[in-house]
Amino acid sequence: MKLLIRPAVERGRRYAFPVAWAAMIATGASLSEPLPTVDVAPYLSFTAIGAANAASPEPAFPAMDAQPAALTFVRHDVSEPDDGFHVVNREVTFGHGRFAAPGNAVRRQVQLRPISPRTADELAGFFRDVSYTLTEVRLGEAVPPIKVDRVPNDLGTKDGNERKSLFITAILPVVLEVNQRVLADREQLLYLRDKIAAAPLHVTAVERLWLEGLAERYETSVDKLDELVRRVDIVPPSMAIAQGGVESGWGTSFAARNGNALFGQIQSGGRHSVSVPWKPGAGMPQPFTDVGEATDAYIANLNTHPAYAGFRTERAAMRDRGEHPEGYRLIGTLLRYSERGQAYVQFVRQIMRENELSDFDKARLSSF
């Protein structure tokens, strides 16, 4: 048998090389031919938006978890397996601080357009150009997303009513923008609080890092979630505008015009972060780069300082009762904001009544 097999093997070796070449030539010839066209239409289908889902402007794309380029959070039930990161089709938003809340976990945030009016007339003209009036806002119109970087130096040349109107119109969108960032953090915080309570093992490392960063910014700790929830919340626009008007003389004070010090915040010492015509020191006005930074610091102050714990407690109680935070009531908790105490609270409330500022507590930014 071995003798019969050996000649066959020898003959196979003799013809193996030519056969291999023939196969390669045939393959090459087939690859050189153009690929047939494929009609992809049968494989694609689009579903018309019906009445049931017309309210949602964004299509629902399948989640992907294969090493995403950016780590993001998405709200989902705690029963859903959390073995990867889920990416959905939402626009990226800009938080603040270390590990700021990713944009797809929260409502769509509006980015403000900065403006730098040199005079009060220029500021008023800009408001006219974009058809932005307080009357329209009171009727339910959204507030244009604009950010005045500083109040004009000549605001004091306008009469009382016009001066107040310009100040309120300028400050309102800035307060709303800071509040929307706070609400973005709050929404993610409430989701993580519920997730920790129901399924702590499903909390990811990135979520824990974000939570630690948030607690650090709000000067508390992760193991005090209830306290953190009390701190991460908005300041009603009516209250912010009224206090800004009182503390800055509706934007006409020396500190407001030269250092964007709108809310009466004072220094505890140290150096100025911006150049201003007064020396730093305890009890001196705290200057800021722009109006947005001043507003951010004011809201952060109310949300963190021990003197305003009563404000945060009352605001949380309103939330628990299903009420929207109301500035006229909450200002009553800020007895320590001024040395005048109760007289200060009464004066701010008078400002709020006379200018009907409570109308702006539920104002919203438009997307322009």
Side-chain angles (χ1 to χ4, degrees):
M1 179 63 68
K2 292 181 179 179
L3 294 176
L4 294 175
I5 294 175
R6 193 176 194 86
V9 172
E10 293 298 329
R11 288 194 298 272
R13 289 178 177 174
R14 188 185 311 164
Y15 295 106
F17 188 75
V19 170
W21 268 106
M24 291 177 62
I25 292 172
T27 304
S30 65
L31 291 176
S32 65
E33 296 178 0
L35 294 174
T37 58
V38 178
D39 184 8
V40 298
Y43 301 93
L44 299 177
S45 62
F46 297 89
T47 303
I49 298 178
N53 58 4
S56 176
E58 300 175 3
F61 291 98
M64 300 177 292
D65 57 2
Q67 298 180 347
L71 299 179
T72 54
F73 297 123
V74 62
R75 183 177 300 281
H76 52 77
D77 296 331
V78 295
S79 59
E80 176 181 318
D82 199 1
D83 56 355
F85 296 102
H86 305 269
V87 181
V88 295
N89 185 43
R90 296 277 189 92
E91 71 178 25
V92 177
T93 55
F94 299 92
H96 56 288
R98 190 160 59 96
F99 301 113
N104 73 328
V106 296
R107 61 183 55 82
R108 192 182 291 266
Q109 295 187 42
V110 177
Q111 300 301 309
L112 268 62
R113 168 189 170 188
I115 61 172
S116 301
R118 292 166 296 181
T119 65
D121 288 336
E122 187 176 325
L123 178 63
F126 181 84
F127 292 153
R128 286 194 299 270
D129 290 343
V130 296
S131 301
Y132 172 30
T133 68
L134 296 180
T135 300
E136 294 294 325
V137 174
R138 287 189 169 98
L139 293 175
E141 289 294 323
V143 177
I146 56 177
K147 177 182 284 187
V148 177
D149 61 356
R150 60 175 57 244
V151 293
N153 284 332
D154 65 343
L155 199 57
T157 63
K158 301 298 180 182
D159 64 49
N161 290 331
E162 185 178 4
R163 179 169 64 246
K164 287 191 291 185
S165 178
L166 286 173
F167 181 86
I168 295 168
T169 308
I171 297 302
L172 178 57
V174 182
V175 175
L176 293 177
E177 191 268 340
V178 176
N179 275 342
Q180 82 167 355
R181 286 190 278 114
V182 173
L183 283 178
D185 285 340
R186 180 177 175 83
E187 181 177 346
Q188 182 66 19
L189 171 61
L190 293 176
Y191 161 63
L192 289 179
R193 181 196 63 179
D194 296 343
K195 185 175 182 179
I196 291 171
L201 296 180
H202 287 176
V203 179
T204 67
V206 172
E207 289 172 333
R208 292 186 185 279
L209 284 172
W210 178 84
L211 198 58
E212 290 174 2
L214 185 71
E216 181 181 346
R217 282 194 284 120
Y218 281 85
E219 301 180 11
T220 186
S221 58
V222 175
D223 59 347
K224 298 179 180 178
L225 277 182
D226 289 340
E227 174 60 23
L228 185 56
V229 169
R230 278 193 291 271
R231 294 185 178 211
V232 184
D233 206 344
I234 67 168
V235 170
S238 62
M239 198 170 95
I241 293 170
Q243 288 194 273
V246 169
E247 298 292 342
S248 71
W250 300 105
T252 64
S253 71
F254 180 81
R257 289 183 287 107
N258 292 277
N260 299 302
L262 300 182
F263 298 98
Q265 292 176 265
I266 60 174
Q267 290 181 310
S268 58
R271 297 180 177 180
H272 292 321
S273 58
V274 295
S275 178
V276 290
W278 65 83
K279 294 181 178 180
M284 297 298 290
Q286 175 66 54
F288 297 96
T289 304
D290 52 40
V291 169
E293 185 181 87
T295 307
D296 212 338
Y298 158 75
I299 291 179
N301 188 35
L302 293 184
N303 281 337
T304 58
H305 199 286
Y308 311 123
F311 162 76
R312 298 188 291 270
T313 299
E314 178 59 27
R315 182 179 59 186
M318 296 178 76
R319 291 286 195 191
D320 290 341
R321 294 191 297 266
E323 302 172 0
H324 189 79
E326 183 185 330
Y328 192 84
R329 290 166 58 184
L330 288 174
I331 191 64
T333 64
L334 298 189
L335 295 173
R336 298 179 63 184
Y337 199 90
S338 167
E339 294 178 353
R340 298 174 60 194
Q342 187 61 43
Y344 173 80
V345 169
Q346 292 174 350
F347 182 59
V348 174
R349 279 180 168 165
Q350 179 183 344
I351 294 295
M352 295 171 76
R353 286 194 306 269
E354 291 177 351
N355 297 279
E356 300 178 314
L357 298 182
S358 294
D359 292 344
F360 306 125
D361 278 351
K362 293 186 179 181
R364 70 191 192 282
L365 288 169
S366 72
S367 57
F368 233 0

